[in-house]
Amino acid sequence: MSQPKILAFAGSARRDSFNKKLIQIAVKGARDAGAEVTLLDLADFPMPLYDGDLEAEHGIPENVKALKELFLAHQGLLLSCPEYNSSITPLLKNTIDWVSRPVEGEGPLAAYQGKVCSIMSASPGALGGLRGLVHVRAILQNIGVIVLPKQMAISQANNAFADDGSLKDSRQQETIEGLGKTLCGFLGKLQ
């Protein structure tokens, strides 16, 4: 049986993003369970806002092509999703939209069909980004991603992390690591 391959990232470009901290905890859980995890930062893949005219005139941007290759090379996705105004961040939505664009000889939504995903969020607010996760789940499921039912939203994220990047609440830490472990286990069963 081959090692499950998981692509992990936060839907934020902010350097000190709570969601960048959170995704690292889930990555640890996935790696501890035996997954090969590629952790990336969307800030390393700048791209314009999706525009059909821009795509028609200039094609798919090089950063999008590189990112899409990473999606295609992995069976699973671990996403930590900040909430902006009760919904998905523009960065994450733009990433999803660009990566969905087909190239010649490729089936529709090739980067998403049959992928399995775990989602989580962290926010200084009382709901921890939960409202945004509803939108992320709906978008991903509509484009062919199997989104696992268990998720976690960390509220008061500005006070939730210890200096070493772990969560102060050991149950939350265990749950977030568990999201990575569960994703690895699910992918292993599919192989």
Side-chain angles (χ1 to χ4, degrees), residues 5-14 17-28 30-31 36-45 47 66-72 74-82 88-100 111-112 115-122 133 136 140 143 145 176 183:
K5 292 182 73 173
I6 297 172
L7 184 63
F9 58 92
S12 173
R14 195 169 62 84
S17 162
F18 300 125
N19 286 278
K20 285 184 179 180
K21 292 178 182 179
L22 194 64
I23 197 66
Q24 291 184 36
I25 297 169
V27 164
K28 178 188 181 311
R31 286 180 176 152
E36 178 185 331
V37 183
T38 302
L39 176 61
L40 62 86
D41 189 332
L42 291 180
D44 295 333
F45 297 87
M47 60 189 86
L67 190 56
K68 186 173 185 178
E69 287 302 315
L70 286 169
F71 272 73
L72 290 167
H74 293 79
Q75 300 105 358
L77 301 170
L78 263 178
L79 303 182
S80 190
C81 310
I88 187 172
T89 63
L91 175 64
L92 182 54
K93 182 64 167 79
N94 194 50
T95 299
I96 291 168
D97 291 344
W98 268 118
V99 170
S100 75
Y112 297 108
K115 298 282 189 252
V116 181
C117 181
S118 283
I119 57 175
M120 67 211 72
S121 64
L133 290 180
V136 173
L140 293 176
I143 59 176
V145 177
I176 296 297
L183 178 59

Side-chain angles (χ1 to χ4, degrees), residues 150-152 170-180:
K150 185 154 181 125
Q151 62 185 31
M152 181 74 176
S170 60
R171 287 176 302 192
Q172 289 180 337
Q173 177 80 16
E174 185 178 320
T175 299
I176 296 297
E177 285 183 21
L179 293 177

